[in-house]
Amino acid sequence: MNLFVLGINHKTAPVNVREKLSFSDQEIVEANKKLVSKTSLNEGLILSTCNRVEIYGVSNDPDADHFGEIKGFLSDFHQLDPECFEDRLYNYNGDRVIRHLYRVASGLDSMVIGEMEILGQVKKAYHVAKESKTTGKILHRLFQKTFTTAKKIRTDTAITRGLVSVSSVAVKLAGKILGTLVDKEVLVVGAGQIGEQLMMFLKKNGIKSILVANRTFEKAQELAVKFNATAVKFEDFKEGLVESDIVIASTGAPHCLIRKQDVSEFMPRRRQRPLFIIDLAVPRDVESEVNDIDNAYLYDIDDLQGIVEKNIELRKNELENCDKIIADSCDKFLHWLQVEKAIKNDERYVDNRVAFK
Amino acid sequence: MINRLTDFSSGFGNAYFVTHLIAIVASYAVFFVTFSAAVLYLVQDNNLKRKHLGAMFNRLPDLSLLDKLTYRSIELGFPILSVAIIAGFLLQKDISGSYWNWNTKEVYSVVSWLLYAVTLHVRLSSKLRGKKVALLSILAFGIIVFSLFVGCGG
């Protein structure tokens, strides 16, 4: 009864290699079945996400070359030359498999440390394998324990705490400045990727309306259609400062578009309502002195990224606690596995004696 | 003050005294809420301006709520303080025969009343909002507290 894993992830391979090895939702049941039927594995499970492809297996044959077999399976299934992915693979066996799986499912091995999406993906992979009838007693137990461990890590440590994306930090700040976002308006100046992501996030949080301005008016209209917003002419965007509560600036302009004087002049017309300005542009679109005006709060991309990095650091500080929980669960599972092995040996021994008689 | 209770010249003296006492305690209680909200506002505003987003930032409520709590509580406390001051004048008239005696207690009460009036006016007319309103209300409360100590002596 040997446990092992073979895989490839965002640390060992670029996306163009990972995508060649990944399994789509449609083919994964079939792949699971093939994995077990074409190799010496007794149990098998494929975990395939955009950041990793991993194959977990249990085998009773101590002499077989499991890693070679799985490599063969991968190259057969995807019709790839093993050479193009071979040196990107990592493999573990025994207790390191358990530790690795626990780490993966808890998000400790993820690109954004502590993210919880991966737990759902591991659960799904497990259910698919169960459906494919390629899991047995050991993988069942291993994955059940994985889910409990991941949950324990989530509740007992701070690994999932703190916002780790620019958009989520910006939305949180908006809430702390403006209270509810339901009746608030946003002015978006310029179109950029993070800007769009942020718009989507704000929209999800119930923002009332969005004004979009861009140097090329067509682009503004395009965005307006996409987000159910209103497009305004670039020359008139400053008028939008009167009604809006949040301003997102992300133009490619080489100089400041919004100066301290502009905002001070607009404040009485805005009846001193708080204004949250998010400057995503490099070079910056908004003069940094705007932050000195009462009721105006300016955050630029460096500020937001700084907060994100600090939160990631805080999560990293929790790794030690997580590893303790993992080591603990790992020991328990190993103990169970040993008892299981002993029972199996015992059965074999009894069977042999029966055969002798 | 208790031994002066017998000095009331009109029959209303006792009523003025009770009204004054209840209203003054109630208004101070309300203004204590104003003061607390204003202090928290300043702390949270400072967190946001200086981009210091620690545990304090996470725990404190949003600025909009604290701002609302500040001026809404002044809206509530101001009429109560007005009643207290009017009752105080009537009481004074009963005791000393004059509404206004220029004692420090009177002056400070009226100054804090005026300050709350100004604060409420600038906030409701949206001439000022946020930090400056919070500062004004803290100043007004400071005068009340100061007048309490002065009042003990006078």
Side-chain angles (χ1 to χ4, degrees):
Chain A
M1 262 191 314
N2 291 313
L3 256 176
F4 49 82
V5 60
L6 182 120
I8 190 166
N9 69 16
H10 56 95
K11 287 175 197 159
T12 65
V15 63
N16 60 345
V17 179
R18 295 198 311 265
E19 68 189 3
K20 277 186 204 146
L21 287 174
S22 75
F23 296 86
S24 69
D25 286 353
Q26 287 81 25
E27 58 193 17
I28 200 147
V29 173
E30 187 203 337
N32 270 320
K33 282 180 181 156
K34 269 193 185 157
L35 171 69
V36 174
S37 60
K38 300 225 163 137
T39 61
S40 62
L41 300 186
N42 298 80
E43 299 179 32
L45 183 151
I46 300 172
L47 168 66
S48 176
T49 73
C50 53
N51 279 331
R52 67 181 70 241
V53 177
E54 293 185 339
I55 293 175
Y56 290 86
V58 177
S59 165
N60 289 336
D61 183 354
D63 305 319
D65 171 22
H66 310 300
F67 296 126
E69 281 179 4
I70 298 174
K71 257 183 246 170
F73 159 76
L74 277 173
S75 69
D76 279 355
F77 195 92
H78 293 294
Q79 284 163 355
L80 284 170
D81 185 358
E83 265 177 29
C84 68
F85 62 86
E86 223 169 17
D87 50 343
R88 311 269 191 193
L89 295 172
Y90 50 87
N91 55 60
Y92 306 119
N93 51 30
D95 57 334
R96 292 189 62 194
V97 178
I98 309 165
R99 196 181 113 86
H100 176 74
L101 177 59
Y102 286 175
R103 284 181 61 89
V104 168
S106 317
L108 307 186
D109 202 40
S110 300
M111 200 130 70
V112 177
I113 186 169
E115 57 104 4
M116 270 298 160
E117 210 186 333
I118 183 70
L119 181 58
Q121 291 165 330
V122 174
K123 274 186 182 161
K124 197 176 154 206
Y126 167 68
H127 286 297
V128 170
K130 215 165 113 182
E131 233 173 75
S132 328
K133 297 192 169 49
T134 59
T135 52
K137 197 172 183 183
I138 297 188
L139 285 187
H140 277 308
R141 175 98 181 179
L142 176 62
F143 277 82
Q144 291 305 336
K145 291 296 157 194
T146 303
F147 305 144
T148 356
T149 308
K151 256 182 223 151
K152 191 172 164 61
I153 284 178
R154 174 155 51 173
T155 49
D156 292 5
T157 73
I159 196 81
T160 60
R161 278 189 219 140
L163 303 166
V164 287
S165 80
V166 165
S167 298
S168 56
V169 169
V171 170
K172 163 111 186 233
L173 283 166
K176 284 284 186 185
I177 293 166
L178 303 165
T180 171
L181 298 181
V182 174
D183 53 351
K184 301 299 187 290
E185 298 188 16
V186 187
L187 167 67
V188 181
V189 189
Q193 215 183 359
I194 316 178
E196 267 190 50
Q197 203 191 346
L198 188 49
M199 273 159 83
M200 213 146 72
F201 235 78
L202 285 167
K203 192 112 204 185
K204 245 196 263 165
N205 281 272
I207 211 90
K208 190 176 107 195
S209 62
I210 303 179
L211 285 179
V212 189
N214 198 56
R215 276 218 202 272
T216 42
F217 190 61
E218 288 71 32
K219 179 89 194 183
Q221 282 175 317
E222 224 173 83
L223 272 179
V225 171
K226 196 167 163 189
F227 290 95
N228 196 14
T230 315
V232 290
K233 288 227 167 68
F234 192 77
E235 304 81 56
D236 305 334
F237 88 81
K238 278 185 187 164
E239 278 306 304
L241 286 173
V242 178
E243 286 304 319
S244 52
D245 305 282
I246 301 173
V247 175
I248 303 170
S250 61
T251 75
H255 54 269
C256 282
L257 291 173
I258 302 174
R259 295 181 184 283
K260 186 179 180 182
Q261 202 192 347
D262 300 329
V263 179
S264 322
E265 276 170 17
F266 274 104
M267 267 322 205
R269 282 180 65 192
R270 312 183 74 256
R271 302 173 61 81
Q272 306 290 336
R273 279 179 6 260
L275 178 64
F276 178 33
I277 305 178
I278 306 159
D279 186 357
L280 300 171
V282 180
R284 285 179 291 187
D285 281 343
V286 188
E287 216 170 48
S288 58
E289 285 79 13
V290 167
N291 197 40
D292 301 339
I293 299 169
D294 273 356
N295 302 312
Y297 302 87
L298 169 66
Y299 280 73
D300 63 30
I301 187 73
D302 284 355
D303 295 329
L304 296 172
Q305 237 142 29
I307 295 162
V308 165
E309 269 156 37
K310 218 168 131 192
N311 286 341
I312 290 175
E313 273 313 301
L314 287 175
R315 285 187 176 192
K316 281 188 181 155
N317 290 342
E318 280 295 304
L319 277 179
E320 216 172 291
N321 290 335
C322 297
D323 283 334
K324 265 183 218 151
I325 294 176
I326 285 176
D328 217 39
S329 309
C330 213
D331 284 348
K332 278 187 197 147
F333 186 80
L334 273 175
H335 181 74
W336 175 83
L337 198 62
Q338 252 139 26
V339 171
E340 207 51 28
K341 270 184 192 166
I343 294 172
K344 210 146 210 178
N345 284 339
D346 209 38
E347 277 169 3
R348 214 178 288 151
Y349 174 70
V350 172
D351 286 349
N352 285 345
R353 283 191 37 179
V354 170
F356 263 117
K357 277 182 182 172
Chain B
M1 199 176 243
I2 302 298
N3 54 359
R4 287 194 206 154
L5 276 176
T6 49
D7 298 344
F8 297 138
S9 54
S10 81
F12 293 114
N14 210 2
Y16 295 150
F17 176 69
V18 173
T19 311
H20 176 72
L21 198 68
I22 291 175
I24 209 89
V25 170
S27 69
Y28 287 2
V30 174
F31 285 134
F32 181 70
V33 173
T34 310
F35 169 77
S36 312
V39 169
L40 294 182
Y41 183 96
L42 291 183
V43 174
Q44 188 68 316
D45 181 78
N46 191 50
N47 283 337
L48 280 159
K49 283 281 187 193
R50 296 176 58 185
K51 293 155 193 180
H52 186 80
L53 313 182
M56 190 63 120
F57 166 79
N58 282 318
R59 257 180 227 148
L60 285 177
D62 57 84
L63 287 183
S64 145
L65 179 80
L66 290 170
D67 178 59
K68 212 177 264 173
L69 192 57
T70 305
Y71 83 86
R72 290 265 190 229
S73 59
I74 300 177
E75 269 182 336
L76 176 67
F78 185 71
I80 307 178
L81 182 66
S82 309
V83 169
I85 287 179
I86 291 165
F89 284 149
L90 295 171
L91 189 62
Q92 188 79 265
K93 168 82 172 162
D94 251 22
I95 296 167
S96 65
S98 153
Y99 289 111
W100 184 259
N101 292 327
W102 284 108
N103 69 38
T104 40
K105 176 84 185 162
E106 279 170 2
V107 175
Y108 282 120
S109 305
V110 171
V111 168
S112 63
W113 181 84
L114 276 172
L115 210 48
Y116 277 120
V118 169
T119 313
L120 202 54
H121 169 74
V122 294
R123 177 59 184 81
L124 290 179
S125 63
S126 292
K127 285 194 180 69
L128 291 179
R129 201 189 275 252
K131 191 176 173 180
K132 290 200 173 111
V133 171
L135 285 171
L136 276 171
S137 71
I138 289 172
L139 180 65
F141 191 73
I143 291 171
I144 286 183
V145 173
F146 189 64
S147 78
L148 278 178
F149 291 113
V150 175
C152 290

